[in-house]
Structure formats: C-alpha cells, structure tokens
Amino acid sequence: MAIHHETWAFVFGLLGNVISFMVFLAPLPTFYQIYKKKTAEGFQSLPYVVALFSSMLWIYYALVKKDASLLLITINSFGCVIESIYLVIFLVYAPSKTRLSTIKLLLLLNVFGFGAMLLSTLYFTTGSKRLSVIGWICLVFNISVFAAPLCIMKRVIKTKSVEYMPFSLSFFLTINAVMWFFYGLLLKDYYIALPNTLGFLFGIIQMVLYLVYRNAKPKTLEEPTKLQELNGHIVDVVKLGTMAPSEPNHVTKSGAVTETASNV
C-alpha cells in the first residue's frame, strides 16, 4: 500500500531534525577552545545571533501554522537553547568591546527586531494573511542566509584552497537542505521548500569546488581575512591568517564550522 504523502513528510522532517541537531552541535569544539583559552578574541558573535533569530522566526511560524508543525518546533527549540548557550559562553569570554557590540546586536535583532515583527503581525494581520506575512519573512531571511557562502566560495576560487570549506560540512548541509525541501514540498509549504532549493544548489557548488581545488596548489593572500559562512542552521567564524601554526584549524580539525542558519 502506498505511503501517504504526510507520512513521507514526517520521515523527511524527522531526518531533517536529526541532521540539523548534529549541525547545531558542530561549533562545540570552538566553544570548548574558547573556554579552555578563556578568551573569545578573534571570533565573532554575528553567526550565533543570526542562528538564534532564525530559530525564533521558525518557532513563531510553526506556532501560527499549527498544522504539521511539531518537527519545526522541536528542532528550532533546540536551536534556541544551544545558540543561547553559545552566546552566553561568548559573552563571558569576549573582550569588553566585543561583548558590548554583541549585546547591542542581540537587543537590535532578537529583542526589538523580533518584537516589532511579532507585534506588527499580531495586531495588523489575521488568519491566513498573518501566516503568509510570517512565511515570507522566514523565506527572505533564509534566502539571505543561504547566499552567505558566496564569500567563502569566492575565497576558495581566489586562493585555490579548500582548507576552510571541508567536504563533509558541505555534504551534510546539502543533505539537510534536501530533507527540509522535501518536507516542505510534501506539505505544500513553499516557505520551507523554496529557500532550501538555494541551500541545495550552493551545497552542490561547494562540493564541486572542493573536488576541483582539493589537489590544487594554494595561493597565499597578502592580508589576513576573516570569513564567516551562514549556511543552513550552522554558523561559525573562520579566523584566517592570524592563527599560529600550532593552533588547531577552526574548521578542518576542530570541527567548528559555519552554522546557520536555516534550520529548515
């Protein structure tokens, strides 16, 4: 007997939860390193603030939608918790100037920004229109997040080095995008499906770039650069050019990778 499309949607959503869960935990080695060194100097808080905001958006969307939204709530609730923990650790060990800028960013985006969106949709929209407005906000935000890897792909082409774009990360983020795409497609929820088509496309491009440049002779850039990738729900900062040779690579060895951002 054929399996109902809602059952398939649940299967893909469950797999998406599992993969997103692992991706959310990817920055743990980075924060262990921060804790061990008692400093967050050289790292940025923006990726984690963005990831927290993304999870907050999807939880709100799921609560308004109500139907078939449990899997959105579970993974993004976990996302809110783990990103909040990351940010607390960051604030504890960040230099005073960075700590202040992080607090300002949290207030601007996660408190006032989310609060303004929440109040405006509650008081100025109703029913299906409210869901549509929230869905479009989630869609546009996640498209912008999925587009963020363009900077690191440009870096790979320029340096002919895939040191900061590990194949395993690109692979799992691509699979994650596929899971959530089919979840949204089967539920006819295009606010979820459409952004993940872009995530899948960029994931494929990253893997192709890896295969092209994995054996290429790297070029050294004159100026150190800080890059960050907001990809899916996993976000992290890669610190380039300022690490001593004895320090572990923030991506390829420690597993601290870009997070990002779209949990669905």
Side-chain angles (χ1 to χ4, degrees):
M1 186 175 67
I3 302 177
H4 198 273
H5 70 276
E6 289 185 358
T7 303
W8 277 115
F10 179 82
V11 171
F12 281 110
L14 188 61
L15 291 173
N17 266 247
V18 172
I19 299 173
S20 295
F21 178 83
M22 293 186 293
V23 173
F24 268 128
L25 295 178
L28 279 177
T30 294
F31 283 91
Y32 176 73
Q33 186 180 50
I34 289 174
Y35 170 76
K36 191 175 180 180
K37 293 186 176 182
K38 308 298 181 185
T39 179
E41 186 175 0
F43 293 91
Q44 297 177 16
S45 60
L46 177 62
Y48 309 100
V49 174
V50 169
L52 176 60
F53 183 71
S54 175
S55 292
M56 293 166 65
L57 281 178
W58 283 114
I59 289 176
Y60 182 41
Y61 174 78
L63 290 174
V64 173
K65 182 182 178 182
K66 296 179 182 179
D67 296 333
S69 60
L70 177 62
L71 293 175
L72 286 179
I73 294 174
T74 53
I75 189 58
N76 286 289
S77 296
F78 175 75
C80 283
V81 172
I82 194 67
E83 296 302 332
S84 297
I85 293 173
Y86 290 154
L87 284 167
V88 168
I89 296 173
F90 184 90
L91 289 170
V92 169
Y93 294 110
S96 56
K97 185 177 180 181
T98 305
R99 184 184 299 115
L100 182 60
S101 63
T102 299
I103 293 173
K104 289 180 179 179
L105 183 60
L106 279 168
L107 289 174
L108 179 64
L109 185 63
N110 299 74
V111 178
F112 297 116
F114 184 82
M117 185 275 296
L118 180 67
L119 292 175
S120 61
T121 53
L122 285 176
Y123 287 101
F124 297 110
T125 59
T126 57
S128 60
K129 184 177 180 182
R130 177 183 298 165
L131 183 65
S132 178
V133 170
I134 300 169
W136 274 106
I137 292 173
C138 291
L139 187 151
V140 172
F141 182 79
N142 279 275
I143 284 178
S144 66
V145 168
F146 276 127
L150 288 172
C151 66
I152 203 168
M153 287 189 278
K154 179 181 177 182
R155 176 85 178 188
V156 169
I157 295 172
K158 193 172 183 179
T159 63
K160 299 186 183 299
S161 172
V162 295
E163 182 180 8
Y164 300 101
M165 193 181 69
F167 183 84
S168 58
L169 172 63
S170 300
F171 175 77
F172 281 108
L173 290 175
T174 303
I175 296 300
N176 193 44
V178 170
M179 295 299 108
W180 288 112
F181 167 76
F182 280 109
Y183 173 80
L185 184 66
L186 290 167
L187 293 179
K188 297 182 180 179
D189 190 329
Y190 302 111
Y191 301 121
I192 297 174
L194 289 178
N196 283 285
T197 58
L198 194 62
F200 171 75
L201 177 63
F202 282 141
I204 293 295
I205 294 174
Q206 287 182 70
M207 288 190 288
V208 170
L209 285 175
Y210 181 90
L211 295 175
V212 171
Y213 291 110
R214 61 177 177 170
N215 295 321
K217 185 177 179 180
K219 293 182 180 179
T220 303
L221 299 184
E222 294 181 359
E223 297 181 359
T225 308
K226 288 181 181 178
L227 291 179
Q228 67 186 28
E229 180 183 355
L230 309 180
N231 198 341
H233 279 70
I234 301 299
V235 188
D236 197 12
V237 176
V238 181
K239 184 184 177 186
L240 305 182
T242 58
M243 294 184 294
S246 60
E247 291 182 344
N249 185 300
H250 289 189
V251 173
T252 56
K253 295 183 180 178
S254 70
V257 292
T258 53
E259 178 174 355
T260 234
S262 172
N263 298 312
V264 296

